[in-house]
Amino acid sequence: MEKSQKRRVDPEALKKEAAEAALAYVPKGCVLGVGTGSTTMYFIRGLKKGWVRGAVPSSKESERALRKKGIPVLDLNQAKKVSVYVDGADEVDRRMRLIKGGGGALTREKIIATAANKFICIVDESKLVKRLGKFPVPLEVVPMARDQVAKEIRRRGGRPVWRKNFMTDNGGEILDVHGWRVTDPVKKEKELEGISGVICAGIFGKRRADLVLVGGPLGVRKIKGGRGIRW
Ligand code: 5RP
């Protein structure tokens, strides 16, 4: 009993359960959008060869994993439409708005999530928050603008930390911004993406998730619609 209790609360086991639950939402023959991160990796592992027409990955890492599984990889420009996008998150609030970009793939993630008819977010329950912002907000920036953007962020009360020795798949750099309580995610996202030199902010307020599958000790919870949710 002690052994099985341990297995149920292991965050990796919970991520895996949420990821496997998402497989049931992938229509046969569809074009699938695939995110980045450890939870998404469990999802990719569960995909069956031949099930989807092709997949649009949000990173080179996910692209490699998809190719290994024999799943055709599509460029977003080739894919006429993306039916479902499946990805993890660093934080999820009660209205299914997210912080993403812990793995640095936020820009492509936001592009594919925006292109998709449906965005399914897969997380373990440690990612659920009342208000976004405990997890630092990642910003992808143009390298030459890094210091200028950092200065602007400090002026707005944030503490930017440069993710040294990290380059995104787009050749960008990441500033992780600490110290913000994100009370209005849509407004904050718009404000940050209006700063010259910012490519993308890791707040998904405008394009939030349509469905969140949450792995917890009692199984996988489905959160939909953003109403009447308590955690
Ligand atoms: C990558 C992301 C990931 O989805 C996020 O960091 C969650 O990762 P994990 O599933 O490893 O906890 O946004 O840019």
Side-chain angles (χ1 to χ4, degrees):
M1 171 163 164
E2 215 176 286
K3 208 174 178 186
S4 80
Q5 271 177 346
K6 256 187 196 161
R7 191 193 68 80
R8 298 290 291 175
V9 294
D10 169 13
E12 289 308 306
L14 302 183
K15 284 179 183 188
K16 188 165 180 274
E17 284 178 23
E20 286 172 354
L23 293 166
Y25 293 87
V26 180
K28 190 164 171 45
C30 77
V31 172
L32 175 68
V34 177
T36 299
S38 56
T39 316
T40 306
M41 248 347 139
Y42 289 122
F43 172 75
I44 294 174
R45 276 181 213 154
L47 279 171
K48 286 202 172 62
K49 191 177 167 183
W51 185 260
V52 296
R53 183 157 73 78
V56 181
S58 68
S59 64
K60 290 180 182 163
E61 187 194 357
S62 296
E63 178 177 343
R64 276 193 295 275
L66 287 162
R67 288 195 194 282
K68 246 191 204 166
K69 293 279 306 187
I71 292 160
V73 169
L74 301 174
D75 177 272
L76 186 58
N77 296 306
Q78 293 173 286
K80 290 272 175 287
K81 61 174 188 176
V82 178
S83 303
V84 184
Y85 178 62
V86 178
D87 198 358
D90 300 299
E91 281 187 351
V92 182
D93 79 3
R94 287 173 174 168
R95 293 175 63 188
M96 302 192 296
R97 298 166 307 188
L98 318 167
I99 288 186
K100 290 188 47 54
L106 59 159
T107 302
R108 295 188 187 196
E109 290 172 345
K110 196 176 279 189
I111 292 169
I112 307 170
T114 303
N117 287 340
K118 189 170 186 175
F119 176 9
I120 300 176
C121 183
I122 47 177
V123 290
D124 70 273
E125 64 174 12
S126 72
K127 308 288 182 69
L128 305 180
V129 296
K130 288 204 172 91
R131 186 190 295 114
L132 301 178
K134 197 166 176 198
F135 191 92
V137 177
L139 297 180
E140 181 168 358
V141 300
V142 175
M144 67 164 290
R146 188 188 63 239
D147 284 353
Q148 184 175 308
V149 172
K151 197 170 154 197
E152 185 57 31
I153 294 300
R154 277 192 287 272
R155 208 181 60 78
R156 293 166 195 236
R159 277 184 289 111
V161 176
W162 175 29
R163 221 183 275 182
K164 277 190 192 151
N165 305 319
F166 181 85
M167 184 183 277
T168 71
D169 288 347
N170 313 309
E173 293 186 0
I174 299 284
L175 291 174
D176 291 301
V177 185
H178 298 248
W180 275 333
R181 286 151 53 98
V182 185
T183 47
D184 186 340
V186 176
K187 193 172 161 202
K188 196 74 182 167
E189 178 182 18
K190 197 171 170 199
E191 175 196 321
L192 294 170
E193 292 185 350
I195 297 173
S196 179
V198 172
I199 299 167
C200 182
I203 299 175
F204 284 51
K206 192 166 169 225
R207 202 331 167 202
R208 58 186 183 156
D210 299 305
L211 172 68
V212 184
L213 298 173
V214 186
L218 302 176
V220 177
R221 260 207 292 169
K222 287 178 214 160
I223 294 161
K224 214 172 156 181
R227 281 189 303 270
I229 302 162
R230 290 284 166 267
W231 58 66

